[in-house]
Amino acid sequence: MATPIHVPRINNNDDEVKVLAFDVKPGERVSAGQIVGQVETDKAVLDVTAPVDGYVLGFVAQPDEIAQVGSVMLWLGASASEPIPEAGAPTPDSSTAGPSPVTGKAKLLLARYGVKSDAVTPIDGRITVEAVERYLATHGLAAAAPAPVVAVSRPAEPRPEVPGTAVALSREEKGMAATVVWHRDCAVPGYIEIDYDPAPWAEYARAFQEEKGLLMPPLLPLMAWRLVEVARTMPRINATFVEQQRYEYGAVNLGFTIQAGESLYLAVVREAEVLDAGGFVNALGDVLRRAASHQLRESEASGATIGFSSMERWKVTRHIPVLPPHTAFMLAHAAARNGRAVLGASYDHRVLNGGQVVAALKKLSSPT
Amino acid sequence: MMSDASPMAADSANGVPAPFLSDASGKPRIGTDPASLFAFATLIRDTEKLILDLFSRGLVSGTTHTCLGQELCQMAVVRALDHPDDHVLSNHRNHGHFLSYSGDFHGLVAEIMGRRDGVCGGYGGSQHLAYRHFHSNGVQAGMTGIGVGLAAALKARDSRGIVVTVIGDGTLGEGLLYESMNLASVWQVPVLFVVEHNGIAQTTYTRDTLGGDIVARGAAFGLDTWRVSDREAGFIDAAAAVVAQVRERRRPGMLVIDTGRLGPHSKGDDLRDPGERAALAAADPLAALAACLPADEVAAIRASCAAYLQAVERRALASPAANFDPLPEHSFRPAQAGQVEIPEVADGNVRAALNSALHGLLAAAPETLLIGEDLHDPYGGAFKVSAGLSTKFPGRVISTPISEAGITGAGIGLAMAGRRPIVEIMFADFLSLCLDQLYNHAVKFPGMFPEATVPLVVRAPCGGRRGYGPTHSQSPENLFVSVPGLTVLYPSHRHRVGQLLADAVLRWSNPTLFLEHKLLYGEKCDTADYEILPAGDDDLGAALFPTLRRGSAAPDVTLLAYGGMLPVAERAAKILETQEELAVEIVAPALLAPLPRQTLLQALLDRPRILVVEEAHHHFGVSAEILALLAESAYSGALARLGTLPVPIASARSLESAQLPDEAAIVAAVIDLL
């Protein structure tokens, strides 16, 4: 019966050694204690000796190979013609479970296009990117290699050459930066404005003030309320664009820009569509007061589905707002001049076309 | 020498001169005549009475421990130190030592009151004082190993200075003390352990807590031993003679001083019966000194002390509350310029790279030395990292007793004395034994005392997959990254690991833990296709210890891995790329603490999916911190982490491999993330 000579351990803390050389040849007769080869770890070399008399049958490890301590290095036999025993079946490696039926990347593609995996014909038993792309192509859903929706690679920005001091952004400034980057990278923004007579709106707000006994005519809150009403009847202005689909929101969360000191907030009245005009004017007033004192609640500082921006306070007669993330319509209100004013809107062209925006603006230009 | 004929020194800041003379370094010169001793001891006692009075008036910040009754005991050894290199390491009951060493009465009172004029600017309070070569800290026996290290540094540069480490008899219960005494004996360094034996530890009598004999403890370690009483005539001279002998013999000693505490341990915790307290008061050494002096001289000394301390009190009260300007956000010293270039070992593995770095360091920087267990040739360390070094650099590669806390403390002492020690802990699991030295000492001094630097590097092999079982397989970085002021490095074979070690030792003067995964020792050093991420401007050490990345610039998933987990993450990435068709990026930091936050955010914030993998018991650990960082920075992608479950790591390979995250676990976690 053949005798294995195992790779010896040199150092207690090394599981692998390098096989340096064999001093014997296959077929050679060796005696117990004879040196048959050398192994090495860092800086230490060890002779390997034959445990019994016999003939060298063959080598398993090879010179210069890194071998596991305890593995078979060479075989000795009682005769030179004895066969080398076959290696035992490899022990199953529990760490490598079979691959999943859908590749990870294919899974991402299926989710992006809203396709169920059982609709796709597997290739060689697996749903791969190629299999999904074939399905998409045959169903007219996309080109074979769609551009990534979100740019994930960002080249390192070169630093300015002129010396200066880097000032960390405040939370609000970071929010603004995120907004404009979304507007630039994600939306396909457009802008349209119409000319309108602001007098009926002013009269409507004055009457509302009188009826409710308010201190001031709530012109802007009422215009924002009108936007909520229009959004109820035109769901596509209260929407965004997700994975090649228009995503119409289930609620109207009205975002209203307010400058509080150095900070610009988009203060949000959530589920505005369930309120009435009076309730909305009160709710917006509450939110704006909290914004003015920098005490917006988390739910009031995020989640806008549609926006309203006015720069009347600064006597600005026209401005083009930036779209807040995941909105498709931001109304732009400005100061009147010579009895006329403009009402504009920034919009996401993936969701709305010009005609739809003009239709919405026309509704918004009068109080009823 | 002070005498009642010329008692005044030139401290005119108070308008009242200090009633003692000082030497060139500011240390009071206290004569051995009864009047001089009585005068200085009275100053100490009255200062402590003033402190207690201030405490009762609500003017003391925190707590304080007085040495009432032990003034001569505390003065005797310190007053005899007359070499500029002499060090004093004290403990919670340190006012007598401090005042005898510094003469800074105003600085002490203001410090204890938490005022700006305090000797440590209000940072230390009563227990944590630093002044030239005087340091005290609040952990029993915590300074004893440090004292051995300081003494070893003195010995190495042939100084005549000695180190005095003072403990109370209550501290005889601390194990580190015996590690330190043994180390001092083995190294034959000039350190004197002074045991102030007042018979009571806080409220518990020593007779109820101490087995065996005190002096025999010192003798058992081969220390020269002495026992004296501060109630006996000739005590001051006897203590001075002990100091002289340690200085002369250049070897360690132990001096036990029997003394008596007249006051409480702290305040209001003196529960001893009145008879016992009366007996102690009757044996008060100050009263005995006063009895040797004419009554009018005693009265004159008392009046002079009272006038001086009134001025000290007035000035301390006038000092504003201590304040930070600006509030320090960390205690790290910046990276130093200059570099020892460590050549890369051609085709070398991590072990060879580290060995080469140690060779380079020992050759280029005489202040470096290696301390650890079994480092010497021919063994060369448990993982052979120090092979060949003890032969080439005799005396600078020191195999130590099995005393992890003691050698860490000694490393701190050596570092404080300007050396750059590299301490090897044989298995990172044993770092738990060093924790107090790192957590309460190494990082505290640079944080509290601006002039203190502790350029200590502790190296330790860590990690599992070797079947070594629960106490030889762990990755304890999760414990150490949370220690304020401790740098934790855990590089991989993809980093220039030898250069990182050299830079940690020579260019990063902060206490640093350098972790090395056991399985990486045999891995070939190869930066492969990794690139260095630009270091964030605010990230301390991030340029010196860079974070690497490789793989897709538009990844479907980013794997963040470090140390021994990196090869595993690379194997997982390959599976994800080939079998799952995913674009994978790997981000590999080497610096875990201080975490290079900006660097990581710049690399990760816009990534769609991130999985942080680590071999450590990861709850509350590195991955938790990175995920929190991303969450706080409004990261909007998908996040997950993978680590070892909170159970002991098993010995059997089959069990261990089921516990530690492997490539299959990483692949599964990524699939879950999609």
Side-chain angles (χ1 to χ4, degrees):
Chain A
M1 189 186 157
T3 306
I5 300 182
H6 292 105
V7 175
R9 184 179 290 282
I10 299 180
N11 167 19
N12 189 29
N13 292 315
D14 268 324
D15 278 356
E16 290 178 334
V17 299
K18 186 172 169 185
V19 176
L20 268 192
F22 290 106
D23 297 345
V24 293
K25 296 189 183 70
E28 191 177 326
R29 162 103 188 141
V30 298
S31 22
Q34 182 181 335
I35 295 169
V36 296
Q38 288 85 34
V39 293
E40 166 190 77
T41 59
D42 298 313
K43 304 251 176 345
V45 175
L46 191 76
D47 286 329
V48 180
T49 55
V52 293
D53 295 347
Y55 292 87
V56 177
L57 300 180
F59 306 131
V60 178
Q62 296 301 322
D64 286 338
E65 192 179 280
I66 302 294
Q68 282 287 322
V69 168
S71 63
V72 178
M73 191 169 158
L74 69 160
W75 288 97
L76 296 182
S79 72
S81 57
E82 198 175 327
I84 292 178
E86 286 192 21
T91 46
D93 187 348
S94 62
S95 68
T96 50
S100 52
V102 184
T103 74
K105 187 73 175 189
K107 217 167 151 184
L108 292 177
L109 277 177
L110 291 171
R112 185 186 299 164
Y113 291 100
V115 176
K116 289 208 158 44
S117 62
D118 50 16
V120 178
T121 311
I123 297 176
D124 294 337
R126 290 189 89 197
I127 296 176
T128 60
V129 170
E130 192 187 345
V132 177
E133 284 174 350
R134 274 186 201 166
Y135 174 89
L136 294 175
T138 53
H139 289 74
L141 279 170
V149 173
V150 179
V152 287
S153 133
R154 191 180 54 183
E157 289 179 35
R159 292 187 66 79
E161 285 171 12
V162 182
T165 310
V167 180
L169 297 184
S170 68
R171 205 178 70 150
E172 291 76 19
E173 287 165 339
K174 281 183 189 158
M176 172 59 82
T179 295
V180 299
V181 169
W182 187 88
H183 178 94
R184 184 197 67 186
D185 290 347
C186 298
V188 182
Y191 173 80
I192 287 177
E193 66 182 28
I194 60 167
D195 206 44
Y196 77 109
D197 177 5
W201 259 117
E203 173 53 28
Y204 177 77
R206 199 200 51 74
F208 190 91
Q209 173 199 8
E210 204 158 274
E211 181 196 334
K212 303 284 183 188
L214 303 177
L215 283 173
M216 301 269 287
L219 174 64
L220 296 181
L222 287 172
M223 292 184 86
W225 170 245
R226 181 87 175 113
L227 179 57
V228 174
E229 286 187 313
V230 173
R232 265 199 309 219
T233 58
M234 293 180 69
R236 65 167 58 229
I237 70 166
N238 186 51
T240 189
F241 191 79
V242 179
E243 292 172 350
Q244 307 302 316
Q245 292 175 310
R246 187 172 69 249
Y247 186 96
E248 293 181 357
Y249 288 109
V252 182
N253 294 351
L254 190 282
F256 192 101
T257 55
I258 170 172
Q259 185 83 30
E262 286 293 301
S263 304
L264 180 65
Y265 292 107
L266 188 72
V268 179
V269 176
R270 291 199 178 226
E271 296 180 18
E273 78 281 4
V274 303
L275 303 172
D276 60 11
F280 177 81
V281 168
N282 286 339
L284 182 60
D286 287 344
V287 168
L288 295 181
R289 266 189 297 282
R290 280 195 285 277
S293 54
H294 305 286
Q295 289 174 340
L296 275 185
R297 297 161 186 165
E298 198 56 42
S299 64
E300 297 165 350
S302 64
T305 61
I306 191 166
F308 185 107
S309 167
S310 172
M311 293 200 74
E312 184 189 31
R313 195 178 135 193
W314 288 275
K315 308 293 179 213
V316 168
T317 53
R318 164 182 290 128
H319 74 291
I320 304 174
V322 169
L323 283 169
H326 305 301
T327 65
F329 189 96
M330 180 81 160
L331 185 65
H333 174 256
R337 189 164 56 183
N338 304 327
R340 299 297 291 178
V342 297
L343 202 56
S346 294
Y347 62 99
D348 187 341
H349 227 314
R350 298 174 300 174
V351 179
L352 294 164
N353 62 36
Q356 290 157 343
V357 175
V358 170
L361 288 173
K362 282 197 168 151
K363 288 185 185 191
L364 291 162
S365 66
S366 77
T368 49
Chain B
M1 290 292 163
M2 173 181 158
S3 77
D4 55 353
S6 57
M8 304 307 169
D11 176 10
S12 56
N14 299 330
V16 178
F20 53 85
L21 293 171
S22 302
D23 68 14
S25 59
K27 185 166 181 287
R29 295 162 63 184
I30 307 167
T32 55
D33 57 291
S36 296
L37 293 172
F38 177 70
F40 204 87
T42 301
L43 267 182
I44 294 175
R45 179 167 296 183
D46 289 357
T47 301
E48 293 205 311
K49 285 181 174 170
L50 168 63
I51 291 165
L52 290 175
D53 179 53
L54 291 165
F55 183 86
S56 66
R57 284 148 61 194
L59 291 168
V60 163
S61 219
T63 189
T64 191
H65 306 88
T66 59
C67 66
L68 298 172
Q70 300 182 200
E71 294 86 355
L72 285 189
C73 167
Q74 295 221 324
M75 281 162 59
V77 172
V78 178
R79 69 154 285 288
L81 299 173
D82 55 5
H83 192 282
D85 289 346
D86 287 339
H87 286 70
V88 179
L89 301 183
S90 181
N91 52 68
H92 60 294
R93 197 178 314 286
N94 60 25
H95 300 160
H97 309 134
F98 174 80
L99 293 172
S100 303
Y101 183 84
S102 72
D104 190 357
F105 288 79
H106 169 62
L108 177 69
V109 172
E111 181 68 31
I112 294 173
M113 291 174 73
R115 303 300 174 105
R116 192 192 295 171
D117 285 359
V119 62
C120 298
Y123 222 128
S126 170
Q127 298 192 68
H128 322 91
L129 298 175
Y131 178 91
R132 289 201 325 113
H133 296 323
F134 180 98
H135 288 90
S136 67
N137 207 11
V139 179
Q140 299 292 321
M143 304 286 278
T144 55
I146 296 170
V148 175
L150 288 168
L154 290 177
K155 179 180 176 178
R157 62 184 171 97
D158 286 330
S159 167
R160 294 277 297 162
I162 71 167
V163 177
V164 169
T165 303
V166 194
I167 58 168
D169 47 333
T171 308
L172 293 167
E174 294 285 3
L176 176 58
L177 172 65
Y178 303 104
E179 292 188 18
S180 304
M181 283 162 59
N182 185 50
L183 263 183
S185 179
V186 170
W187 290 352
Q188 286 293 289
V189 292
V191 57
L192 177 64
F193 296 92
V194 177
V195 182
E196 297 183 335
H197 179 227
N198 62 19
I200 188 164
Q202 190 142 352
T203 63
T204 307
Y205 288 103
T206 309
R207 60 174 182 262
D208 298 331
T209 58
L210 188 83
D213 183 76
I214 299 177
V215 176
R217 283 166 158 75
F221 289 106
L223 271 53
D224 297 329
T225 56
W226 302 267
R227 184 164 193 162
V228 294
S229 165
D230 67 358
R231 267 67 178 156
E232 284 170 10
F235 162 67
I236 294 290
D237 292 333
V242 168
V243 167
Q245 286 178 68
V246 172
R247 194 184 304 289
E248 195 54 40
R249 294 174 180 172
R250 315 306 300 156
R251 64 178 194 231
M254 180 198 206
L255 170 65
V256 180
I257 304 176
D258 292 303
T259 184
R261 196 181 80 201
L262 293 183
H265 161 75
S266 181
K267 298 158 306 297
D269 53 7
D270 196 349
L271 309 173
R272 293 172 294 185
D273 76 54
E276 183 184 350
R277 288 158 66 179
L280 281 170
D284 178 10
L286 260 69
L289 280 174
C292 305
L293 299 171
D296 57 344
E297 189 177 351
V298 169
I301 289 172
R302 285 186 170 142
S304 137
C305 290
Y308 178 64
L309 289 175
Q310 276 168 18
V312 165
E313 180 186 3
R314 266 199 312 277
R315 202 170 143 213
L317 282 168
S319 172
N323 69 327
F324 284 124
D325 184 27
L327 185 66
E329 292 177 5
H330 64 83
S331 59
F332 294 102
R333 306 285 190 265
Q336 287 173 244
Q339 189 151 334
V340 169
E341 270 297 336
I342 299 300
E344 296 194 41
V345 185
D347 280 336
N349 58 21
V350 167
R351 184 199 330 269
L354 292 169
N355 184 265
S356 161
L358 293 172
H359 263 101
L361 283 165
L362 288 165
E367 67 271 32
T368 54
L369 72 166
L370 262 56
I371 307 172
E373 295 157 17
D374 301 289
L375 301 185
H376 56 281
D377 293 328
Y379 188 63
F383 293 89
K384 311 300 165 209
V385 173
S386 58
L389 297 172
S390 69
T391 309
K392 194 162 174 194
F393 303 98
R396 289 172 62 201
V397 180
I398 301 161
S399 289
T400 67
I402 302 176
S403 302
E404 284 80 5
I407 63 176
T408 306
I412 297 169
L414 284 159
M416 288 171 76
R419 304 299 298 273
R420 295 210 171 237
I422 304 157
V423 173
E424 176 176 310
I425 300 298
M426 194 184 280
F427 283 84
D429 311 68
F430 312 155
L431 285 166
S432 56
L433 296 164
C434 315
L435 184 58
D436 171 68
Q437 289 299 300
L438 295 172
Y439 182 64
N440 275 321
H441 296 84
V443 298
K444 290 291 189 286
F445 299 133
M448 294 192 295
F449 313 131
E451 79 289 354
T453 53
V454 181
L456 166 74
V457 171
V458 178
R459 289 180 40 244
C462 65
R465 308 187 204 277
R466 296 297 308 266
Y468 284 169
T471 62
H472 286 64
S473 305
Q474 297 168 95
S475 301
E477 67 271 16
N478 57 327
L479 297 179
F480 291 90
V481 287
S482 62
V483 174
L486 186 66
T487 300
V488 180
L489 283 166
Y490 191 176
S492 74
H493 61 308
R494 300 305 189 188
H495 294 88
R496 290 192 60 199
V497 64
Q499 190 64 53
L500 288 194
L501 178 61
D503 288 340
V505 171
L506 289 186
R507 298 185 58 199
W508 189 247
S509 297
N510 299 290
T512 298
L513 179 60
F514 194 95
L515 294 170
E516 302 158 8
H517 197 286
K518 299 175 191 102
L519 288 198
L520 287 180
Y521 285 133
E523 289 277 342
K524 190 179 158 196
C525 281
D526 181 5
T527 50
D529 55 348
Y530 282 82
E531 59 192 15
I532 292 176
L533 285 175
D537 293 342
D538 296 339
D539 290 340
L540 297 157
L544 200 57
F545 309 118
T547 299
L548 308 179
R549 78 162 289 285
R550 58 145 287 214
S552 172
D556 295 309
V557 65
T558 300
L559 301 178
L560 192 150
Y562 58 85
M565 195 46 101
L566 198 56
V568 185
E570 288 179 359
R571 292 196 292 272
K574 197 159 187 188
I575 296 172
L576 290 166
E577 283 163 351
T578 55
Q579 294 186 14
E580 301 296 333
E581 306 181 286
L582 292 167
V584 183
E585 174 189 45
I586 295 179
V587 172
L591 177 64
L592 303 183
L595 188 67
R597 293 171 190 274
Q598 231 182 322
T599 311
L600 291 176
L601 282 178
Q602 283 167 7
L604 297 176
L605 208 46
D606 62 0
R607 296 314 197 209
R609 292 163 205 90
I610 301 169
L611 176 69
V612 183
V613 287
E614 57 187 325
E615 197 181 305
H617 288 114
H618 63 311
H619 293 170
F620 304 99
V622 175
S623 61
E625 185 63 28
I626 293 173
L627 264 57
L629 168 71
L630 288 164
E632 285 170 346
S633 308
Y635 176 74
S636 56
L639 281 177
R641 61 186 168 133
L642 187 62
T644 296
L645 293 170
V647 290
I649 297 171
S651 296
R653 291 282 182 107
S654 55
L655 300 179
E656 185 190 37
S657 67
Q659 288 178 311
L660 302 183
D662 59 7
E663 48 267 44
I666 294 175
V667 169
V670 168
I671 298 296
D672 279 351
L673 200 54
L674 299 175

